Amino acid sequence: MPLILDTPPPSPPASVSEHCSEVALRRKEHHTADVVVVGAGILGTAIAITLARQSRSVILLEKSLKEPDRIVGELLQPGGVEALEKLGLRECLEEIDAIVVKGYDVIYYGQEVEIPYPKNAVEDGRRPEGRSFHHGRFIRRLREVAMKEPNITVVESTVTNTVTSSWTGQVLGVESTTRGESDFYFGTLTIIADGYASKFRKEYISQQPVSKSKFWGLELIDADLPKPGHGHVVLGDGAPVLLYQIGTHETRALIDVPEGLASASTAHGGIKGHLRNTVLPSLPKSVQSSFEIALDEGKLRSMPNSFLPPSINRVPGLVLLGDAMNMRHPLTGGGMTVALNDVVLLRELLSPEAVPDLGNTKLVIKQMKTFHWRRKNLTSVINVLAQALYSLFAANDPQLRALQLGCFRYFQLGGSCVDGPVGLLAGIIRRPFVLFYHFFSVALLSIWLTCSEAPLWRLPMTLLESVLIFYKACVVIFPFIASELRS
């Protein structure tokens, strides 16, 4: 028998109780429900809770209900905190030793600039706040809420295949394995949210993720960060390093390592040699001792940094969501913000008022097409910003290094030159044109810096360099914009 976990709800009136008991029995004994959700991560658990609170019957499947231990998905931007509140799940940030995040501190070759979240971005005039935490603790809290929902049955089972009608092509449910035994779960709608390593993506999406680097993670103990309560981005000769607190005593260090990096080759001591010889000297002095201790303990883990443009769900009876459908570089910490805002939008588009019968596949597909385009105001900003910023922060040619310097100098100007970009990053400003404006403002400032610092006798070469910088800016951003415009 599958491991089924849920908590009996308070006793409702008799007629309602009988109906609820019958529906719950169908989930537990017959494995049928309105919705089958595959994957009890951030999005999967949140969408299960949301649909259940709209009186949908939900089966939530997860291969392991142990508290996960990951090195990403640990920083929730203010736009994600706001979405969590809209979903009635703010309580999941409590009792997990979450840290208040007030903004960022960018360190460029030892120079610092603070980038706080913008003032007056929330209704009461306060600066918005994000939260950082241990990923697994946040997941555990979400799952605890799901297990208390009377309309959800949580099952620990490994999904192996979808079940599809040979006549209509409609997905009817999934096949799974529990403790070595084959099992089946059927739903009017099947939602796949099985994460970045999705086993179903190739079957239902033509585009596949592109990964050109990995984040290598360390957990520092009692690190002395330059600006507590801020995420830190360290820029230097190599790819960026992220530092942010995830608990009272723990700080996450994420080091981006591009594929084929010479200083990380076996001849140079592998990844540990790269971290010790190249990364360690570039970190703030106050952090170096805790970083070295963590490195000596050898608890290194890695995650691929992937990019996957979004796709429209067109398969009847099936919806792919979360990292299974759309990914961006985790540099900006936008993944959870995208996921939770997607759930907020789907709460409206798949509500019983909008879709009375989830078996109406034509209507569901129509709503998912609407979902694809309506999510763009936020997700296209976060997707494009993450990829463009990574290109600049991991600068590996003269034009990108000029743009990187221009970006840092732009932040130093303060005012709207900080509020605009960080508002985009935080998921607060949801206007793609604002991203376009600030990106090319950085490009023009980079050109100005190049021209103003060059001697007059180099004028012809300086003009050529300026053209190349602008061309590089276009090459960086326009392919990602184009990927967002495809259907």
Side-chain angles (χ1 to χ4, degrees):
M1 288 291 293
L3 178 58
I4 299 177
L5 301 172
D6 53 12
T7 301
S11 299
S15 59
V16 176
S17 178
E18 289 175 6
H19 174 71
C20 290
S21 297
E22 181 183 342
V23 172
L25 183 66
R26 285 202 296 267
R27 291 198 303 268
K28 292 181 179 181
E29 298 296 330
H30 304 292
H31 297 179
T32 62
D34 295 325
V35 184
V36 172
V37 180
V38 179
I42 301 292
L43 190 143
T45 309
I47 192 69
I49 294 168
T50 299
L51 294 176
R53 289 177 177 177
Q54 293 180 329
S55 299
R56 307 284 197 187
S57 176
V58 181
I59 295 173
L60 177 59
L61 303 174
E62 170 57 42
K63 64 181 178 182
S64 174
L65 291 171
K66 293 180 181 178
E67 184 172 304
D69 184 15
R70 294 181 61 192
I71 62 169
V72 293
E74 298 171 318
L75 196 155
L76 185 62
Q77 298 288 0
V81 175
E82 180 186 9
L84 205 62
E85 291 173 345
K86 289 179 180 178
L87 295 171
L89 295 172
R90 177 64 186 258
E91 65 186 278
C92 296
L93 292 175
E94 299 169 1
E95 301 176 8
I96 60 172
D97 195 23
I99 303 298
V100 173
V101 179
K102 301 175 182 178
Y104 282 81
D105 184 41
V106 179
I107 303 171
Y108 177 80
Y109 289 95
Q111 299 181 65
E112 287 186 57
V113 61
E114 182 181 357
I115 306 177
Y117 292 130
K119 290 181 180 178
N120 303 318
V122 292
E123 291 181 1
D124 59 5
R126 295 179 295 106
R127 288 188 187 272
E129 295 176 344
R131 290 293 186 274
S132 55
F133 39 72
H134 288 270
H135 175 84
R137 295 176 186 174
F138 183 50
I139 293 287
R140 170 173 51 80
R141 292 286 286 134
L142 284 169
R143 290 175 180 173
E144 287 171 356
V145 173
M147 291 173 187
K148 293 177 183 177
E149 288 292 328
N151 289 328
I152 299 178
T153 297
V154 182
V155 185
E156 189 173 70
S157 187
T158 301
V159 176
T160 54
N161 290 294
T162 53
V163 178
T164 305
S165 167
S166 58
W167 180 255
T168 64
Q170 179 178 342
V171 173
L172 306 175
V174 297
E175 181 181 359
S176 70
T177 301
T178 306
R179 298 175 181 173
E181 295 184 5
S182 180
D183 210 341
F184 294 88
Y185 293 87
F186 297 98
T188 310
L189 179 66
T190 300
I191 295 176
I192 302 289
D194 59 340
Y196 78 96
S198 173
K199 67 173 67 176
F200 300 99
R201 185 188 294 122
K202 286 184 178 180
E203 187 176 352
Y204 296 108
I205 293 181
S206 59
Q207 300 182 92
Q208 295 304 310
V210 175
S211 177
K212 296 182 179 180
S213 70
K214 287 183 178 180
F215 260 150
W216 288 84
L218 286 170
E219 188 174 300
L220 316 186
I221 303 300
D222 293 324
D224 183 11
L225 293 173
K227 286 198 181 300
H230 290 71
H232 295 71
V233 184
V234 182
L235 305 176
D237 291 328
V241 177
L242 301 184
L243 301 166
Y244 53 91
Q245 209 171 341
I246 57 174
T248 301
H249 299 284
E250 304 87 24
T251 292
R252 175 68 67 211
L254 292 177
I255 304 94
D256 186 85
V257 180
E259 290 181 349
L261 188 66
S263 59
S265 65
T266 305
H268 291 85
I271 188 64
K272 276 197 171 184
H274 171 70
L275 299 184
R276 192 179 302 279
N277 302 323
T278 303
V279 175
L280 179 60
S282 71
L283 299 177
K285 296 290 185 185
S286 61
V287 177
Q288 290 184 7
S289 60
S290 57
F291 186 92
E292 190 166 19
I293 290 171
L295 185 58
D296 288 339
E297 290 179 354
K299 296 179 181 178
L300 267 171
R301 290 177 295 160
S302 67
M303 288 280 289
N305 297 325
S306 302
F307 174 62
L308 175 65
S311 302
I312 295 178
N313 285 274
R314 293 188 170 93
V315 179
L318 180 78
V319 171
L320 260 72
L321 295 172
D323 285 353
M325 184 270 288
N326 180 208
M327 290 187 282
R328 78 291 307 153
H329 196 287
L331 173 70
T332 57
M336 290 189 292
T337 297
V338 168
L340 292 170
N341 277 277
D342 279 352
V343 175
V344 170
L345 181 54
L346 287 168
R347 180 179 62 176
E348 171 194 342
L349 296 176
L350 296 181
S351 68
E353 294 75 23
V355 185
D357 177 13
L358 291 173
N360 185 342
T361 57
K362 289 184 179 180
L363 180 56
V364 170
I365 289 173
K366 179 185 176 183
Q367 293 297 84
M368 293 313 299
K369 185 175 182 179
T370 302
F371 168 75
H372 176 80
W373 294 110
R374 280 187 55 184
R375 72 194 289 268
K376 292 293 183 185
N377 281 344
L378 173 67
T379 58
S380 65
V381 165
I382 292 180
N383 291 342
V384 174
L385 179 63
Q387 297 305 123
L389 266 186
Y390 176 69
S391 296
L392 269 58
F393 286 178
N396 58 4
D397 65 37
Q399 291 78 42
L400 286 174
R401 281 191 282 272
L403 288 165
Q404 184 188 75
L405 173 61
C407 185
F408 183 75
R409 297 288 182 241
Y410 193 73
F411 292 154
Q412 287 183 315
L413 295 175
S416 63
C417 298
V418 165
D419 289 348
V422 78
L424 294 164
L425 182 148
I428 298 168
I429 298 176
R430 305 183 177 197
R431 299 192 296 275
F433 180 77
V434 176
L435 170 59
F436 187 86
Y437 168 80
H438 284 289
F439 185 83
F440 280 99
S441 295
V442 166
L444 293 175
L445 179 59
S446 303
I447 291 170
W448 166 251
L449 291 172
T450 299
C451 293
S452 63
E453 294 173 2
L456 189 59
W457 62 268
R458 290 193 75 250
L459 181 60
M461 185 60 68
T462 302
L463 291 175
L464 176 60
E465 290 171 354
S466 299
V467 171
L468 291 175
I469 290 171
F470 190 81
Y471 173 75
K472 178 63 73 170
C474 295
V475 168
V476 165
I477 198 168
F478 281 123
F480 298 121
I481 292 176
S483 71
E484 289 293 321
L485 296 176
R486 298 191 195 105
S487 60

